[in-house]
Structures are given as structure tokens and as C-alpha cells.
Amino acid sequence: MNNQVRPYDPLTSENAALVLVDHQVGLISGVRDISTGELKHNVVGLARAAKLHQLPVIVTTTARDSMWGPTFPELVEALPGIEIIDRATVNAFDDARVFRAIETTGRKKLIFAGVSLEICAAFPAISAVGRGLDAYVAVDACGTFSQTKREVGLLRMLQAGVIITDYASLMVEILKDNSRPDAGAIYEAIDMPWAKLVGQIARAYGK
């Protein structure tokens, strides 16, 4: 049995894409494992930072006009002009338009977030791993309807080889270098104002 761990291959602005699945008003109203306010805050921060990193962003909904309603307004505002793909399939990867949009990016590392975590984020992430891609799930930009669903969803993804993390860590990994001119804007997008505190103090004292 080969237990060799693959060499670490970091996320970059050139190899990653973001896929946001079903952050819809009808679904987030049923979320119980994270507050609605925190969920909105986190996924909007993820979307804003991804835009600053110039990542391809794919957004999809399920049964927008019948069952679950539109994407919540704050996320739409964070991604002005983006096409939101409405589908009927449970697994976003099974929709030809979503799959084509992902494939067209040419990116081999896919960051997922969705509502619910154990279906809308997990199913496409597991499908991506099955196709030889690296799949990451920003758990704190996802939500679900009970603690049990959260726990089993995380277990299933880990068993399948999905990388589980938080949205800010993903965006900082892509940032890589705090001397980048846009570092401050990225930290602001992910709502880490304390990350800029030293620079502000230095400027105040003329250093």
C-alpha cells in the first residue's frame, strides 16, 4: 500500500477558481449550523477577495424561480454583472452549463462553498476529486440545516479527499506575499482589519 503524501502544491491566482453553489434566500433561511449574518459575511468576503485575486468565479442556483428563490442580494452586489446559472440537477457538476463553465477556466484547483454543505458543496467537490482535480471547501462560507448534517458532510468529503478549510485561509494562501500592493485590500475584503494594524501604526509614526 502506497501512503506517500503528494508534494504540497499551493493555490495561486493562476491555478484556482471559485464555485459558489446555491446561496439562495430560501435555503439560507433554514441554515442552523451558522448564523445567517455570519454566513453572508463570510461568503461575501470570499467572493470579494476572489475578485481581487482575479479568480474565475462561477455562481449557480437550483430552482431559482420555483423552490429556493434568488441568490441573496449582498452576494449579487459583491459580484456585479456575473451570470448566475440556474439548474435542476442536485449536483452542480451534473449540469452541462456549470461543468462547461468550470472546464473553460482551465483551473485544476477548485474552491467550493454552498448551501447546503453536505450536498451543494460536497457533491460537486467530490465529483471534482473524482475527475483528478483538487477540491477545497470553505466550510465557513457554507451552511446546512443541522449539526448532524454538518458532521456527516465533513466526514464524507474528507473520506473522498476534499481539502477542508476556511475562506480566509484560502485567500491568504493565494495572496502569498504581504508586500503585494493589493494585500491591504484583500485583508479588508476578508475582514481582517487587525492584519493592517502594524502598517497603520508605522505610517502614523513616519516609519
Side-chain angles (χ1 to χ4, degrees):
M1 184 175 178
N2 185 4
N3 291 321
Q4 183 177 359
V5 177
R6 286 190 302 167
Y8 173 60
D9 182 22
L11 290 159
T12 70
S13 294
E14 290 73 40
N15 66 17
L18 176 62
V19 185
L20 301 177
V21 185
D22 299 358
H23 291 87
Q24 296 168 252
V25 293
L27 288 171
I28 64 172
S29 66
V31 166
R32 296 294 180 266
D33 63 325
I34 184 173
S35 73
T36 300
E38 185 177 359
L39 173 59
K40 287 182 174 183
H41 169 276
N42 293 349
V43 72
V44 167
L46 174 62
R48 287 176 175 164
K51 279 192 63 181
L52 289 168
H53 282 309
Q54 299 183 1
L55 301 188
V57 181
I58 297 151
V59 182
T60 181
T61 55
T62 304
R64 177 175 58 215
D65 299 322
S66 56
M67 296 176 67
W68 307 123
T71 303
F72 70 84
E74 295 91 334
L75 183 55
V76 175
E77 184 180 349
L79 297 167
I82 196 164
E83 177 190 4
I84 299 176
I85 303 170
D86 191 52
R87 64 183 206 285
T89 62
V90 172
N91 184 344
F93 235 86
D94 291 339
D95 183 275
R97 294 163 301 160
V98 176
F99 178 76
R100 188 164 53 250
I102 292 172
E103 192 174 41
T104 299
T105 70
R107 306 301 174 93
K108 303 301 182 184
K109 292 178 176 289
L110 302 178
I111 299 167
F112 293 92
V115 181
S116 66
L117 178 143
E118 80 287 357
I119 294 174
C120 300
F123 287 5
I126 292 169
S127 295
V129 171
R131 291 178 178 270
L133 304 171
D134 290 335
Y136 299 73
V137 169
V139 175
D140 55 352
C142 303
T144 190
F145 314 125
S146 73
Q147 190 62 30
T148 299
K149 288 180 178 294
R150 177 184 177 86
E151 291 171 2
V152 298
L154 292 174
L155 284 171
R156 184 171 183 184
M157 286 189 284
L158 288 169
Q159 290 164 351
V162 176
I163 300 166
I164 303 299
T165 186
D166 65 282
Y167 84 97
S169 294
L170 290 163
M171 296 299 101
V172 172
E173 180 176 345
I174 294 172
L175 173 63
K176 189 175 182 178
D177 186 345
N178 286 313
S179 69
R180 275 176 45 173
D182 58 352
I186 289 165
Y187 280 116
E188 185 175 349
I190 60 177
D191 198 20
M192 292 176 62
W194 59 88
K196 301 188 291 181
L197 182 60
V198 173
Q200 292 168 352
I201 292 172
R203 285 192 297 273
Y205 284 90
K207 296 183 180 179

